[in-house]
Amino acid sequence: MDLRIFTEPQQGASYDTLLAVAKATESLGFDAFFRSDHYLVMGDGDGQPGPTDAWITLAGLARETSRIKLGTLMTAGTFRLPGVLAIEVAQVDQMSGGRVEFGLGAGWYEAEHTAYGIPFPKEKLARLEEQLAIITGLWATPVGKTFDFDGKFYQLKDSPALPKPAQRKVPVLIGGMGAKRTPALAAKYADEFNVPFSSVEDTGTQFGRVREAAQAAGRSADELVYSNALVVAVGKDDAEVARRAAAIGREVEDLKSNGLAGSPAEVVDKIGRYAEQGATRFYLQILDLHDLDHLELIASQVQSQVG
């Protein structure tokens, strides 16, 4: 069972704060450090000191960590042209010695596009499919050969398809709760499928859809890793859980119902319920990035029981 640390820097975090969390992630034995790809705070906060770019952050962390996997949940397909993104991810993979895992989504938060002058297209899923085809196609093209693509949204001609990632194949993550097109995309392109912030029951339903789509596409459903992203608030006692819930502006009962919250024993039990649906990897959404004691508690009291 892999436990990964997942951060939301658009809520307010400098690179130095993210570096401290990534170093704690590595030293405490977690499997990976992931971050969101957003440029605008969500909710009531002011987002100070302002957004950091996901792939610039990961490039820095690639040189300042040595073991943990690095990636995004999810890179916004609306933010970057696919050819440019393929170059960026390949370079960070080289810089990290082959530790990148690549999550790509369609993009959804229209307000951040408006705030920073980024076009927000209507046909996002159709674009996402072309982006996946282009990025994976560029990486898979043999050195010395060229890559062409003639799609509705993107056209590439005689691309040298360079640079190459350090890994022979960068793992691709796809996620979401779409009932048809999302499972079909996962069946075609994904090495891992992620269900974000959903109940045990809904997780089981979506995993089932993806497994069926994989089999329909001629793949073994067991080729994919199945994972969950869930907010986490663990405490040694009720008072500590309440303090951590208050620090992120959430109610304890809401966190217990919709995330991983409570005592270490309660969280281990909840992880087990998701595991019964097929989850083998968990992205723990850490919203208070200054509470490194939280990570230490999870490592010593939760990871030690499920790892």
Side-chain angles (χ1 to χ4, degrees):
M1 190 77 67
D2 294 336
L3 298 187
R4 297 181 158 190
I5 300 302
F6 171 45
T7 63
E8 300 274 7
Q10 75 278 356
Q11 299 304 101
S14 67
Y15 173 76
D16 287 341
T17 297
L18 295 172
L19 175 60
V21 175
K23 286 187 171 181
T25 297
E26 184 157 90
S27 66
L28 291 169
F30 292 104
D31 184 61
F33 174 94
F34 271 59
R35 60 157 291 164
S36 61
D37 188 20
H38 287 294
Y39 290 143
L40 193 66
V41 65
M42 300 173 192
D44 296 331
D46 60 16
Q48 294 289 339
T52 51
D53 182 84
W55 286 99
I56 291 177
T57 297
L58 295 176
L61 297 180
R63 308 303 286 182
E64 300 197 69
T65 60
S66 60
R67 179 188 59 80
I68 51 175
K69 302 290 186 181
L70 300 167
T72 52
L73 282 182
M74 299 285 186
T75 292
T78 48
F79 284 1
R80 303 165 184 88
L81 295 171
V84 175
L85 185 57
I87 292 169
E88 291 172 336
V89 177
Q91 184 176 5
V92 177
D93 195 52
Q94 291 174 359
M95 293 168 69
S96 69
R99 292 185 284 127
V100 162
E101 298 191 2
F102 177 55
L104 183 63
W108 62 271
Y109 189 22
E110 187 171 3
E112 68 188 336
H113 295 73
T114 302
Y116 286 96
I118 304 167
F120 189 69
K122 291 182 179 179
E123 298 178 81
K124 292 185 290 298
L125 275 176
R127 287 175 181 271
L128 175 62
E129 183 162 14
E130 289 194 12
Q131 290 161 354
L132 287 163
I134 291 166
I135 293 167
T136 58
L138 287 167
W139 290 340
T141 299
V143 174
K145 302 294 185 180
T146 59
F147 177 81
D148 294 341
F149 185 86
D150 186 16
K152 178 179 179 181
F153 305 104
Y154 306 102
Q155 296 80 40
L156 288 75
K157 180 67 175 176
D158 294 331
S159 172
L162 297 171
K164 300 301 185 194
Q167 299 176 82
R168 183 186 62 81
K169 186 182 188 309
V170 175
V172 173
L173 288 71
I174 294 174
M177 292 301 293
K180 293 183 178 179
R181 294 180 73 181
T182 299
L185 282 178
K188 188 172 183 179
Y189 292 105
D191 299 286
E192 177 179 339
F193 186 80
N194 180 265
V195 170
F197 311 111
S198 296
S199 68
V200 172
E201 294 74 20
D202 288 345
T203 292
T205 298
Q206 189 67 344
F207 283 172
R209 291 171 178 153
V210 173
R211 296 181 73 88
E212 289 176 4
Q215 291 167 352
R219 293 181 68 181
S220 168
D222 293 334
E223 288 181 24
L224 282 80
V225 173
Y226 298 88
S227 64
N228 285 91
L230 294 160
V231 62
V232 63
V234 186
K236 296 187 294 292
D237 51 38
D238 290 345
E240 191 167 79
V241 175
R243 175 175 64 78
R244 290 198 162 113
I248 60 174
R250 301 283 290 273
E251 298 293 331
V252 171
E253 290 309 311
D254 171 53
L255 290 172
K256 287 188 176 183
S257 296
N258 300 302
L260 300 173
S263 68
E266 287 178 287
V267 171
V268 168
D269 179 70
K270 187 77 172 283
I271 287 174
R273 291 167 57 195
Y274 281 98
E276 289 172 357
Q277 302 299 325
T280 61
R281 180 173 290 162
F282 293 85
Y283 294 83
L284 308 180
Q285 186 193 45
I286 302 292
L287 295 176
D288 183 355
L289 299 180
H290 298 286
D291 185 4
L292 298 183
D293 289 342
H294 193 194
L295 273 63
E296 186 172 354
L297 177 65
I298 296 168
S300 64
Q301 299 297 320
V302 176
Q303 182 174 240
S304 62
Q305 297 187 60
V306 303

